[in-house]
Amino acid sequence: MAELTFTRDEVEAAAKVAPWRLQRTFSAEIDPEDMGETARVYRQAAGEAGDTGELAERATEIAEESGGVDGRTVVDGAERDSRTATELSDDGEEMEQVSRYLNQAMEVATETELEVRSMIEHYLDPRLAEHLAAARAEYVDRTNGYYYVGGERVTVEYTEEGRPNDPGLASEIRGKYLRMAADDAEYAHGSISRDIDDYRSLLTRYGNALDDLGYDLTAGPLDLWTSPEMARYAAESLKETLTLGGDPEMLDFYARALFSMVGDVVENYGTAGPRQLSDAEGRYLDEFLATLGADGLAALGNVPADELSGESAMQLARAQSAVGNGVMMLLNHDIRVPDPDAPRLRDAYHAISPYLSQHEGPLFENDPDSDAFREQLEKYNGFGNLIERSSVPADDGNSRRMAFVALDVQERTSQQYEPDEFLWFDFEPDNVVENTGSAKLLAGAGQNRDTASDLLSDQAFTRQLFERQWENSGGVAEFIERGVHVADPSLDNRVLSRSIADNVLAAADEAGDRVQGSGPQAEYGHVDHTALRDLLDSLRE
């Protein structure tokens, strides 16, 4: 018989959606068998833990004793022990609330997976079988022979071997039923997508409630919140929120899982140095930043905060600090250890590379008097706003990279103010976009104090630093303040290094009027070196 069949892949190609693949991916993410074992672990932990402070710790211990869920390692090891032991308060009511949210999260995950799988098994698969059978039946009916006896039609039914082969008719019939199957696939995909989106929204809500109760979403054997799919959902939802005006409450809502991850890293960094992200956490971070992309990072950083106050201001700051620290964790290879097998790591780096490329990208490819230049500078400033909110230091190599990029971009953007003759400007001076991002990137680089100290000991670097004209030198002053103070093994606090301070002051004296802010930018634009001069004065005392 002529070719009449079509596969699931062919149906998905015709429908331009992939319901079978979506179902397989979601079922693998939830893994109902794993979920049952995880629920058992938490039920046992809830019965054995003395208070909420021991719940995740005991769940971790039980999972470790069993070698992980479904043979996988589900915890980060001893590195997380101090965190899981203290992540919750010991209030009995909170113990009940945390246990309830964890159970609800697991229940909604397994229920949604069942609904999604049922849409395939009880609707789409049967409908596909019906279309294939109908296509065959129609072809058989239309290729059967017939004759008339006494005005009545008599059908001649052929055997398979004897049936006429009509490729044109077969193609027509196949296309007809393939389109019907594709319509069903579109319907199923829409239904499955809505179910999964509802699940992710509810899971995010549960996660935020748990975070409010002090539960670390990235600890313990329950990894629902750290899947790459949840990261993609959070970042896509955050981008959509930005296009709708950037409601601070919703920005905070979608960035909360990343904020929880950052909180744990920051807490460890202050006491025991950087904590390496688990594979799950690292891939969550990769997916989040890759999905948010360069434009999304800039848009989040540029959400206006001037008119916000109270809870709204705090929500925006929390979302920006979560993402800013996410960028810095990516730039710290002791925290986000490079993994050649991580599928989205390269894309995550690609999202931040436009803002960290020396002498490359739109700021160097476009003339300083062009709209494209000004548009990119606005984005660069937004990225700088995120870095300003961060508290996690980048590693040495990336801190140096940030510092030199800040100097390069500051020099480049000052060229907006350097025409041969002012009358030949192609735009009015008030169309200039001020560079507020470079000083913030420099301050971010200074989070790594050892790197800042090393750079400030370099005469070539300090000479470049003071040759620049800064719209706001607050970040420059922060960088110097951090770098001139070094660790003293005999003391808990860092102490002023006289040699580094002297090198800074010598470079400042050599720069002369530049430190005061003189130059074309001061004449035609805005320069504020107040914070820088105040710091230099304090070093001279």
Side-chain angles (χ1 to χ4, degrees):
M1 184 180 293
E3 181 61 41
L4 290 163
T5 61
F6 37 83
T7 65
R8 291 180 176 86
D9 289 343
E10 288 172 321
V11 173
E12 289 181 334
K16 295 183 172 59
V17 292
W20 283 282
R21 186 163 66 247
L22 180 59
Q23 177 267 317
R24 290 194 302 270
T25 301
F26 184 68
S27 293
E29 175 188 351
I30 302 304
D31 197 341
E33 293 184 8
D34 258 9
M35 193 60 62
E37 174 63 13
T38 303
R40 183 197 67 77
V41 165
Y42 272 93
R43 283 195 301 271
Q44 181 179 342
E48 296 177 3
D51 53 42
T52 54
E54 296 177 2
L55 177 58
E57 178 187 13
R58 185 62 191 130
T60 297
E61 292 170 352
I62 294 169
E64 284 181 328
E65 289 165 4
S66 63
V69 174
D70 194 24
R72 294 180 294 108
T73 301
V74 295
V75 291
D76 302 330
E79 212 170 19
R80 297 297 291 263
D81 288 349
S82 62
R83 172 63 176 169
T84 54
T86 59
E87 62 194 2
L88 301 171
S89 72
D90 57 1
D91 182 85
E93 182 178 348
E94 289 190 358
M95 174 72 155
E96 182 178 345
Q97 288 178 306
V98 167
S99 296
R100 183 171 64 252
Y101 280 125
L102 291 172
N103 286 331
Q104 288 174 336
M106 288 183 277
E107 287 173 4
V108 73
T110 53
E111 289 170 2
T112 304
E113 191 278 333
L114 179 60
E115 291 173 4
V116 167
R117 188 157 35 88
S118 295
M119 174 56 71
I120 297 295
E121 294 175 353
H122 301 307
Y123 173 76
L124 194 54
D125 280 346
R127 290 291 289 167
L128 175 62
E130 290 172 10
H131 292 311
L132 290 169
R136 185 181 187 283
E138 181 172 337
Y139 183 81
V140 166
D141 181 65
R142 292 174 65 179
T143 55
N144 281 337
Y146 62 89
Y147 59 90
Y148 290 89
V149 177
E152 293 186 4
R153 175 172 165 167
V154 178
T155 300
V156 178
E157 296 187 0
Y158 293 102
T159 64
E160 291 299 322
E161 293 79 10
R163 184 171 302 284
N165 184 22
D166 189 340
L169 178 61
S171 177
E172 173 195 334
I173 293 173
R174 180 182 184 276
K176 170 185 172 181
Y177 287 96
L178 176 58
R179 183 63 258 170
M180 291 181 181
D183 289 342
D184 289 335
E186 289 178 28
Y187 169 78
H189 187 273
S191 176
I192 291 172
S193 296
R194 286 189 293 273
D195 286 344
I196 293 176
D197 283 348
D198 289 345
Y199 156 75
R200 297 202 190 286
S201 177
L202 189 55
L203 186 67
T204 302
R205 196 171 301 280
Y206 289 155
N208 290 356
L210 285 165
D211 187 64
D212 287 339
L213 290 167
Y215 184 86
D216 178 9
L217 299 178
T218 65
L222 187 60
D223 57 0
L224 289 176
W225 288 277
T226 55
S227 70
E229 293 83 3
M230 283 301 294
R232 190 180 312 119
Y233 168 80
E236 287 176 347
S237 300
L238 193 147
K239 283 201 297 184
E240 183 179 0
T241 301
L242 290 168
T243 64
L244 297 175
D247 179 5
E249 181 180 3
M250 298 310 297
L251 295 175
D252 179 38
F253 181 80
Y254 293 120
R256 186 65 73 86
L258 182 58
F259 183 82
S260 179
M261 184 191 304
V262 166
D264 185 75
V265 171
V266 169
E267 179 175 320
N268 277 268
Y269 203 96
T271 56
R275 175 180 72 76
Q276 178 180 329
L277 296 179
S278 68
D279 287 344
E281 290 172 322
R283 295 188 181 196
Y284 182 97
L285 177 64
D286 299 345
E287 185 66 49
F288 187 98
L289 294 178
T291 302
L292 189 57
D295 288 348
L297 289 168
L300 178 60
N302 280 325
V303 173
D306 295 342
E307 297 181 5
L308 298 178
S309 60
E311 183 71 11
S312 293
M314 183 179 70
Q315 289 166 337
L316 176 60
R318 191 157 52 206
Q320 290 178 331
S321 70
V323 178
N325 275 311
V327 170
M328 296 296 274
M329 289 194 298
L330 185 69
L331 292 172
N332 190 319
H333 293 171
D334 292 324
I335 297 174
R336 178 58 182 117
V337 177
D339 176 6
D341 296 325
R344 294 282 270 166
L345 182 59
R346 182 182 297 273
D347 295 327
Y349 285 131
H350 184 71
I352 64 176
S353 63
Y355 310 114
L356 296 177
S357 298
Q358 288 184 261
H359 302 294
E360 295 179 357
L363 287 175
F364 295 92
E365 295 167 358
N366 295 289
D367 292 333
D369 64 346
S370 67
D371 289 338
F373 181 91
R374 290 188 283 275
E375 179 182 350
Q376 184 61 24
L377 184 51
E378 291 277 12
K379 293 178 181 180
Y380 177 80
N381 288 340
F383 182 77
N385 291 337
L386 296 182
I387 299 302
E388 182 183 34
R389 296 284 192 184
S390 68
S391 54
V392 175
D395 61 30
D396 177 70
N398 281 306
S399 294
R400 290 173 184 273
R401 177 185 176 192
M402 289 174 64
F404 281 107
V405 166
L407 297 183
D408 292 340
V409 173
Q410 187 63 52
E411 180 181 41
R412 176 65 170 169
T413 58
S414 292
Q415 292 174 14
Q416 295 179 100
Y417 310 97
E418 296 179 354
D420 293 331
E421 296 182 25
F422 183 75
L423 293 176
W424 291 104
F425 261 118
D426 293 332
F427 54 89
E428 295 297 326
D430 58 2
N431 287 340
V432 171
V433 173
E434 292 191 358
N435 176 5
T436 60
S438 281
K440 294 173 181 179
L441 255 68
L442 192 60
Q447 296 278 6
N448 190 321
R449 290 175 174 266
D450 292 340
T451 300
S453 297
D454 193 48
L455 287 173
L456 291 176
S457 300
D458 183 346
Q459 293 182 356
F461 178 85
T462 52
R463 186 180 305 113
Q464 292 180 59
L465 183 68
F466 292 118
E467 285 175 351
R468 305 296 185 263
Q469 294 182 283
W470 305 88
E471 282 85 348
N472 186 331
S473 61
V476 184
E478 285 184 41
F479 178 85
I480 297 173
E481 174 69 23
R482 289 169 177 153
V484 296
H485 290 86
V486 298
D488 186 328
S490 64
L491 299 172
D492 292 334
N493 298 325
R494 299 175 74 90
V495 297
L496 178 69
S497 167
R498 193 67 257 171
S499 62
I500 297 176
D502 288 344
N503 188 61
V504 168
L505 292 174
D509 291 341
E510 182 180 340
D513 291 343
R514 282 280 181 167
V515 174
Q516 304 305 314
S518 63
Q521 184 168 322
E523 183 175 354
Y524 298 125
H526 175 237
V527 172
D528 184 354
H529 285 193
T530 304
L532 176 59
R533 291 197 302 269
D534 288 347
L535 177 65
L536 294 173
D537 288 343
S538 70
L539 294 179
R540 290 189 175 94
E541 293 176 356

